[in-house]
Amino acid sequence: MVKGVAKEPQENTVSNLDAVKIKWFRHHLSIWGTQNLRDFPWRQTCDSYAILVAEYLLQKTDAATVVPIYNTFLLKYPTLEQLVKASINELREMLEPLGLFFRAERLQKCAGIILEQYGGKVPDSEKQLLELPGIGKYTARAICSQAFSQPLAVLDTNVARILERFFGLQGERVKSRCKILWNAAEIIAPNKEVGKWNLTLLDFGAMVCKAQNPLCNDCPLSAKCNYAYMQRKSK
């Protein structure tokens, strides 16, 4: 085996993750992130309410589709109080283009609970956020890392795909519940600026390590990527 080339995976376990390879992965992906992160309005604020709204709207929805609705939403409902008082039919109509018919009800209910139980302040605890309607592990950690700068890694289909391909892991069918991939995401995340790291992974998965037709020839990670190695080997 040529030195520096990724080996084929032998075991589907994070215990096989190589510290040197993780460091290399972080370094090169971080360089890519400094030059290529996408610009979305919710990335220009640390306001916890705005980020909470964004994460609700982004659930199973393309970011570009969310932008105009997010902007309109915050103009009409700039506070939790105004969101709670909103007509549910107006909320449904506004959010209908995003799909998930239950999104409006859950978001409004969530706002009500925050007002009643947390004095109108979005909880900064993953555990507390998970108790709110419509918030799962990914959303809770995204809010914690983006609004409160907490060092919490995230895992979605984009992140899962990158980790599986680069490190030769094989997650379960439902990636968002896969303990192996969650564990890997936590081990691989750096100790600092995890919020920016999370965004870098999301954007890299959307722009380079795509589900269909990944840009392996232009990928800064291809030299040590297990998937790229297997692709080269098959030719």
Side-chain angles (χ1 to χ4, degrees):
M1 181 68 66
V2 179
K3 185 178 181 181
V5 176
K7 297 180 181 180
E8 297 179 43
Q10 296 177 348
E11 251 183 273
N12 186 34
T13 170
V14 293
S15 64
N16 277 346
L17 293 179
D18 184 287
V20 174
K21 187 170 182 177
I22 290 174
K23 185 177 181 180
W24 189 93
F25 176 78
R26 287 177 185 159
H27 176 70
H28 286 79
L29 196 57
S30 294
I31 291 174
W32 181 91
T34 60
Q35 302 170 347
N36 295 283
L37 283 189
R38 295 177 293 179
D39 183 21
F40 295 119
W42 50 86
R43 295 186 177 182
Q44 307 305 318
T45 181
C46 291
D47 180 74
S48 56
Y49 170 66
I51 291 172
L52 172 78
V53 169
E55 291 303 330
Y56 258 96
L57 303 191
L58 286 165
Q59 291 175 359
K60 298 186 178 181
T61 309
D62 178 75
T65 305
V66 169
V67 172
I69 296 175
Y70 169 84
N71 289 332
T72 302
F73 189 99
L74 287 185
L75 282 174
K76 192 161 187 177
Y77 312 113
T79 66
L80 285 163
E81 291 83 358
Q82 287 167 297
L83 174 54
V84 169
K85 294 176 182 177
S87 160
I88 190 61
N89 288 331
E90 287 185 1
L91 284 175
R92 287 171 181 159
E93 184 177 351
M94 182 182 295
L95 302 184
E96 184 179 9
L98 303 179
L100 298 182
F101 68 91
F102 49 77
R103 195 189 315 249
E105 286 84 350
R106 288 185 178 178
L107 180 52
Q108 188 175 58
K109 185 177 180 180
C110 176
I113 293 173
I114 293 173
L115 283 173
E116 293 173 10
Q117 297 185 16
Y118 299 100
K121 295 183 178 180
V122 176
D124 61 359
S125 157
E126 179 184 358
K127 181 179 178 181
Q128 291 174 326
L129 286 167
L130 285 170
E131 294 173 353
L132 298 173
I135 293 185
K137 187 173 182 178
Y138 170 86
T139 301
R141 286 180 160 233
I143 293 170
C144 285
S145 64
Q146 301 306 322
F148 304 113
S149 299
Q150 294 179 12
L152 296 177
V154 298
L155 179 77
D156 74 344
T157 53
N158 277 329
V159 178
R161 184 168 60 252
I162 297 168
L163 300 186
E164 286 184 317
R165 285 176 173 173
F166 186 83
F167 292 99
L169 297 171
Q170 180 57 58
E172 299 166 8
R173 187 178 64 84
V174 182
K175 309 301 182 185
S176 61
R177 300 175 187 171
C178 179
K179 292 182 179 180
I180 289 173
L181 294 179
W182 269 110
N183 195 9
E186 291 169 350
I187 291 171
I188 293 163
N191 295 323
K192 299 179 181 178
E193 296 188 319
V194 178
K196 183 178 180 181
W197 171 257
N198 290 339
L199 298 181
T200 299
L201 281 169
L202 297 177
D203 287 1
F204 191 78
M207 300 165 65
V208 180
C209 194
K210 300 183 289 184
Q212 302 295 327
N213 302 315
L215 307 181
C216 294
N217 291 336
D218 299 317
C219 177
L221 304 179
S222 61
K224 292 184 180 292
C225 175
N226 196 83
Y227 177 84
Y229 167 69
M230 296 301 289
Q231 293 294 105
R232 292 192 295 268
K233 184 179 178 181
S234 66
K235 291 181 180 180

